[in-house]
Amino acid sequence: MLARRAKRRAILLALCLMFAAGVAAVIGYRTWPRPLVFHRAPCLPQITFNHQRMLVAYPAPELAAQVGEFRNESLAYLYFDHLRTRPELDSYKVLLSVTARAGRPVYRLWLMVNRNLLQAVPYLAGLESRGRIAGYQLQPLSDAQYAARRRQTHLFLSVYTCPVNWKLKDLSDAQLVRSLARYLMFKSETDARVRRRIPPVPAELNLKQATRLASDIVRVARFYHLPLAAFLGIGAMENNYMSVRGDLDHAVWKRRAQKGDLILRRRHGRVLVSDYALGIWQITRETLRYAH
């Protein structure tokens, strides 16, 4: 009798163990292997002394400052080309790289700086105060990371400096307006008066204004069969496509004053009137009157 009870208990224990092992196997199959989360210790700058000179530097071969991030490739290259051609910057130290985020490319603009933060931070702050950059984020780079950014920059330069066969007139109006609007915004944003906040500060174009202006330019160029490049060149050279009064000191002599004239001087029956320029294309008041 006792032997039979012991046998039953052994069988029941074995069944329980088998059931527990099965449940453990299912749970393990569903939940393992799990990703191993590794938190890297933050890279902090170190203080050292070299010939009684204090250095505050990251323990990395190179130090870069991210000074821009873009979603559009052509816009990213425009800002890259604009920054590397500034006289106070070394073009070799301006880099453009691309990475993927959520399946979409992200273009980043970098500026290589001195590893000593006591020199790098004042230098970057000076560029920011002069409107050359909107801000910056420091990032130490390994030799491999620096080499990869240099290769990507060289690739962008090779692609954008190659001769092309297509022309602006070959693009559809929708493509042309979209690309032209981004260019107009870029020109107004990089205007020296806007960047350096020189009063009176012009109002830079927003997307709605740039799109409307781009559409008008394309329509006029198509209707009159005029080269689009002429409009782009005049607008860029005159006022970067912003409506600001110019040539404020310009004046002309006339036989008689007309309604609305600003008379500066009278002599021998003639008047000297102000003839400042107006609008995006900087057309003078007298030219507009003649055209009308």
Side-chain angles (χ1 to χ4, degrees):
M1 187 71 177
L2 293 176
R4 188 179 299 174
R5 288 181 180 177
K7 187 176 181 180
R8 287 178 180 176
R9 290 177 181 176
I11 294 174
L12 183 60
L13 180 61
L15 291 175
C16 291
L17 291 175
M18 291 176 61
F19 178 76
V23 172
V26 171
I27 294 175
Y29 177 77
R30 294 289 185 182
T31 59
W32 294 90
R34 293 182 178 178
L36 182 62
V37 180
F38 173 70
H39 297 284
R40 185 177 61 178
C43 183
L44 299 176
Q46 299 177 351
I47 300 177
T48 58
F49 289 88
N50 184 13
H51 301 292
Q52 298 183 349
R53 180 186 177 189
M54 187 172 71
L55 302 177
V56 182
Y58 286 93
E62 300 289 345
L63 182 62
Q66 181 182 321
V67 295
E69 182 174 304
F70 310 90
R71 287 289 188 178
N72 180 269
E73 179 182 326
S74 59
L75 188 61
Y77 187 83
L78 282 175
Y79 277 96
F80 162 74
D81 195 54
H82 169 76
L83 190 60
R84 75 188 186 93
T85 55
R86 298 306 91 193
E88 68 269 35
L89 294 174
D90 185 353
S91 61
Y92 185 78
K93 294 183 178 180
V94 183
L95 305 179
L96 179 61
S97 68
V98 58
T99 56
R101 180 195 295 170
R104 296 182 58 188
V106 177
Y107 304 90
R108 292 187 174 91
L109 192 57
W110 303 90
L111 185 60
M112 304 305 300
V113 295
N114 194 305
R115 288 180 58 247
N116 186 7
L117 297 182
L118 299 179
Q119 296 183 15
V121 173
Y123 172 70
L124 293 169
L127 292 178
E128 186 175 4
S129 67
R130 294 194 299 273
R132 293 304 185 193
I133 58 177
Y136 63 90
Q137 292 181 353
L138 293 174
Q139 180 177 341
L141 301 179
S142 64
D143 288 331
Q145 291 173 323
Y146 174 65
R149 282 164 175 76
R150 288 226 60 87
R151 287 195 300 270
Q152 289 184 339
T153 303
H154 178 71
L155 179 61
F156 280 113
L157 286 171
S158 300
V159 171
Y160 277 89
T161 54
C162 285
V164 294
N165 296 323
W166 56 270
K167 300 180 180 179
L168 291 177
K169 64 179 182 180
D170 299 329
L171 298 176
S172 66
D173 286 358
Q175 292 174 316
L176 202 53
V177 169
R178 189 165 52 250
S179 300
L180 183 55
R182 288 197 297 264
Y183 175 72
L184 300 183
M185 291 179 62
F186 161 77
K187 290 297 292 181
S188 68
E189 290 172 359
T190 54
D191 184 88
R193 296 162 295 180
V194 173
R195 288 257 178 182
R196 299 172 62 184
R197 314 306 297 174
I198 300 175
V201 182
E204 58 188 86
L205 298 176
N206 56 39
L207 181 59
K208 183 178 179 180
Q209 293 171 330
T211 302
R212 183 172 63 248
L213 177 57
S215 179
D216 291 342
I217 293 175
V218 171
R219 288 177 182 175
V220 171
R222 299 285 200 210
F223 183 82
Y224 289 102
H225 302 286
L226 297 173
L228 185 62
F231 287 95
L232 299 184
I234 294 172
M237 291 300 296
E238 288 293 350
N239 236 350
N240 281 330
Y241 309 101
M242 294 179 292
S243 182
V244 181
R245 288 187 178 184
D247 297 328
L248 299 181
D249 296 330
H250 185 253
V252 294
W253 286 95
K254 298 172 58 175
R255 288 187 176 181
R256 63 181 63 88
Q258 294 174 272
K259 184 179 180 180
D261 276 341
L262 301 177
I263 301 175
L264 303 176
R265 191 181 308 169
R266 298 178 183 270
R267 180 187 298 171
H268 305 302
R270 297 169 64 87
V271 291
L272 179 68
V273 300
S274 176
D275 191 30
Y276 57 80
L278 298 165
I280 297 169
W281 313 108
Q282 292 295 280
I283 302 175
T284 66
R285 290 162 53 91
E286 292 304 311
T287 301
L288 285 174
R289 278 180 170 169
Y290 180 80
H292 281 293

